[in-house]
């Protein structure tokens, strides 16, 4: 993961330099995200080194057991694919809010009113904040 982040960070230098009306340029946001991914990758690497469980034998699982264990991840991939298809049609704000509501509902569950409020609050706030940041701060138009 760290090698991939390093390659992508170097390649982000090939993104067009900022124009006269752009404050920071189009490469800034990908570089910030790559920095965050690099930090999280280092933390995961350190965690795996200090928390190795090599003494445990790996169990063989059937396909149904594997699907049951990884169903949430597969559903998130499907949601992301649907988000990518709907984004050009519905636009950034509507698509992103719907994607975030569905993803958080899948990850957190929505069995209580409190979780629904948290889900909707986080989804609306983050999608709007990112839109405002790109539109007004970076002068980059989102679909």
């Amino acid at each position: 993961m760290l090698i991939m982040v390093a390659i992508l960070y170097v390649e982000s230098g090939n993104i067009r330099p900022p124009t006269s009306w752009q404050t920071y340029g189009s490469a800034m946001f990908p570089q910030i995200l790559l920095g965050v991914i690099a930090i999280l990758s280092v933390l995961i690497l350190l965690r795996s080194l200090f928390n190795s469980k090599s003494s445990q034998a790996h169990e063989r699982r059937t396909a149904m057991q594997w699907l049951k264990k990884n169903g949430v991840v597969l559903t998130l991939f499907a949601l992301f694919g649907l988000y990518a298809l709907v984004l050009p049609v519905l636009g950034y704000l509507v698509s992103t809010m719907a994607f975030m509501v569905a993803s958080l509902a899948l990850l957190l569950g929505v069995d209580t009113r409190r979780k629904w409020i948290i889900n909707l609050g986080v989804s609306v706030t983050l999608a709007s904040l990112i839109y405002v940041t790109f539109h007004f701060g970076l002068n980059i138009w989102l679909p």
Side-chain angles (χ1 to χ4, degrees):
M1 184 62 106
L2 289 172
I3 293 170
M4 185 181 76
V5 167
I7 291 169
L8 289 173
Y9 189 84
V10 169
E11 288 298 319
S12 70
N14 294 332
I15 296 175
R16 226 178 33 216
T19 60
S20 60
W21 54 271
Q22 285 181 321
T23 310
Y24 297 107
S26 301
M28 186 190 86
F29 191 69
Q31 289 173 344
I32 290 172
L33 288 179
L34 289 169
V36 170
I37 292 171
I39 291 169
L40 294 174
S41 297
V42 168
L43 291 175
I44 290 172
L45 177 65
L46 292 174
R47 182 179 174 198
S48 69
L49 290 175
F50 292 119
N51 194 16
S52 71
K53 295 180 181 179
S54 59
S55 62
Q56 293 181 349
H58 292 271
E59 299 175 14
R60 291 194 62 151
R61 292 192 174 108
T62 65
M64 286 305 289
Q65 289 172 330
W66 186 85
L67 280 174
K68 190 178 217 181
K69 182 179 179 190
N70 297 308
V72 172
V73 174
L74 296 173
T75 307
L76 281 173
F77 274 115
L79 277 174
F80 185 74
L82 182 64
Y83 171 68
L85 290 173
V86 185
L87 183 64
V89 177
L90 297 179
Y92 172 79
L93 278 176
V94 174
S95 300
T96 302
M97 286 181 197
F99 171 72
M100 290 182 73
V101 166
S103 298
L104 287 175
L106 182 66
L107 294 171
L108 294 176
V110 285
D111 51 351
T112 63
R113 185 171 187 251
R114 181 176 181 268
K115 286 184 180 180
W116 266 113
I117 292 170
I118 290 171
N119 185 341
L120 292 172
V122 167
S123 299
V124 170
T125 303
L126 285 178
S128 302
L129 185 65
I130 291 171
Y131 182 80
V132 167
T133 301
F134 270 85
H135 186 75
F136 296 109
L138 300 173
N139 288 327
I140 296 173
W141 299 92
L142 297 173

